[in-house]
Amino acid sequence: PSNLFFWRDSSRNEVDILAEQGEQLLPVEVKAGRTITADYFTALQRWISLAGRIAGPAHLVYAGDAPQQRQSVNVIPWHDISRLSATL
């Protein structure tokens, strides 16, 4: 089982879930929208830049239908959440 955390900075950037996987932390952002927008990735990219080599693969869970790969982030539809739980 993973240890789960969240992250928030003083500029109000936040990542909903950080899952500990060995020496890495995997960031997961969860969004209720069906349409992916650029601002969905802002906090993830900020955290990745700060975390450096401890940052594991990033994931975004959203209410849409299509899995995608964007900005080095694995985008997962909510109905396919089992793909994410297999990673964690």
Side-chain angles (χ1 to χ4, degrees):
S2 296
N3 288 323
L4 302 177
F5 309 93
F6 73 96
W7 170 81
R8 185 178 324 146
D9 69 8
S10 60
S11 298
R12 303 183 68 101
N13 291 304
E14 75 175 48
V15 174
D16 296 320
I17 301 167
L18 295 173
E20 188 177 52
Q21 285 275 306
E23 294 182 12
Q24 290 188 315
L25 291 174
L26 292 95
V28 180
E29 186 68 15
V30 180
K31 298 295 186 184
R34 294 182 54 83
T35 304
I36 298 171
T37 63
D39 64 319
Y40 282 9
F41 301 93
T42 303
L44 279 171
Q45 296 300 335
R46 175 74 176 140
W47 185 84
I48 291 167
S49 71
L50 292 172
R53 62 187 183 98
I54 69 162
H59 303 279
L60 171 74
V61 177
Y62 81 120
D65 296 320
Q68 302 174 32
Q69 186 73 28
R70 292 201 187 183
Q71 300 180 18
S72 71
V73 176
N74 186 24
V75 179
I76 303 168
W78 68 269
H79 59 78
D80 204 10
I81 196 75
S82 62
R83 289 180 52 197
L84 178 60
S85 62
T87 304
L88 303 176

